[in-house]
Amino acid sequence: MFYYLNGTVAEILPYLAVIDCGGVGYACRTTNTTLASLKKGKPGKLYTYLNVGEDIFELYGFATQNELNSFKLLLGVSGVGPKAALSILSAGTPESLAMAIVTGDEKTLTAAQGVGKKIAQRIILELKDKMSNETAASLDFSGGKGASAPAVFSNKATDAAQALAVLGYSSQEVSQALRGIDMENLPLEEIIRQSLKKMVKG
């Protein structure tokens, strides 16, 4: 129903931003990360998700598509609702979420308010299952069709590719995003961060 809202930031409250679009104020539940990027009285753009159910009609908004994608991904995990998803994304970033899933880092997830060990384990287990086993094998860094990642980069390439697959990107998108990144010297989280930036610009 809504793809994004683009207007003036009318109000900023805990986990809530109000965007004035043509005289109508849309209240969007959101993360601390998104709130930190907004300023009251200034222009603001939020990518939205509409949660509709019995007696529920709630709008969620995020400063980036990566954050929105991560939110929707978390909602797909059994037992994870909007409140927990917002808490996780308020405590970290899409990159740190993806890396926590790939590395099985429960502590990063339980650092979020209201997220216990069982929920963290379920998030890691269920989202790992969504990874494509062929993602890393089909990476193409050279521009040639079917080329694979150099052996020296294979471990980081695999982890980065799996992390990006967790966030919903295709093998082709992952290949293009990882091409040209210095995987030998950069830490995994920075590789993921740079890849996400390239995909957003693309």
Side-chain angles (χ1 to χ4, degrees):
M1 186 176 182
F2 300 105
Y3 186 75
Y4 66 78
L5 297 175
N6 196 357
T8 302
V9 180
E11 194 66 68
I12 294 177
L13 299 168
Y15 290 101
L16 187 74
V18 179
I19 307 297
D20 185 329
C21 299
V24 178
Y26 293 90
C28 296
R29 298 181 185 276
T30 188
T31 65
N32 291 335
T33 306
T34 287
L35 289 174
S37 71
L38 301 175
K39 290 186 178 180
K40 189 174 180 179
K42 299 292 184 180
K45 180 178 180 179
L46 297 181
Y47 295 95
T48 57
Y49 173 86
L50 185 62
N51 184 33
V52 180
E54 189 176 347
D55 298 325
I56 298 174
F57 194 87
E58 296 174 326
L59 192 61
Y60 293 80
F62 304 91
T64 66
Q65 288 180 314
N66 287 330
E67 198 175 25
L68 171 61
N69 289 341
S70 298
F71 177 75
K72 292 192 289 188
L73 193 72
L74 287 167
L75 292 184
V77 177
S78 57
V80 178
K83 186 176 180 180
L86 286 184
S87 181
I88 290 169
L89 291 171
S90 288
T93 62
E95 306 96 82
S96 62
L97 169 64
M99 199 160 87
I101 294 165
V102 169
T103 60
D105 182 6
E106 296 173 14
K107 289 184 179 179
T108 293
L109 299 177
T110 55
Q113 186 177 359
V115 177
K117 187 174 181 179
K118 287 185 178 179
I119 290 293
Q121 290 175 336
R122 190 179 302 135
I123 290 170
I124 290 170
L125 180 64
E126 291 191 21
L127 294 186
K128 267 191 174 182
D129 286 343
K130 293 193 175 190
M131 295 178 189
S132 169
N133 292 328
E134 299 178 0
T135 300
S138 62
L139 291 178
D140 178 0
F141 291 90
S142 65
K145 188 175 182 180
S148 60
V152 69
F153 299 148
S154 58
N155 290 338
K156 281 188 180 179
T158 298
D159 289 344
Q162 287 180 333
L164 294 169
V166 163
L167 295 177
Y169 293 102
S170 69
S171 296
Q172 184 178 1
E173 290 173 323
V174 171
S175 295
Q176 292 174 348
L178 291 177
R179 191 181 297 122
I181 293 178
D182 184 6
M183 282 183 284
E184 185 176 16
N185 298 308
L186 292 176
L188 179 59
E189 188 168 2
E190 181 59 27
I191 292 170
I192 296 169
R193 183 179 292 111
Q194 289 190 19
S195 301
L196 289 171
K197 285 182 179 179
K198 286 173 69 175
M199 280 190 278
V200 170
K201 289 180 181 177

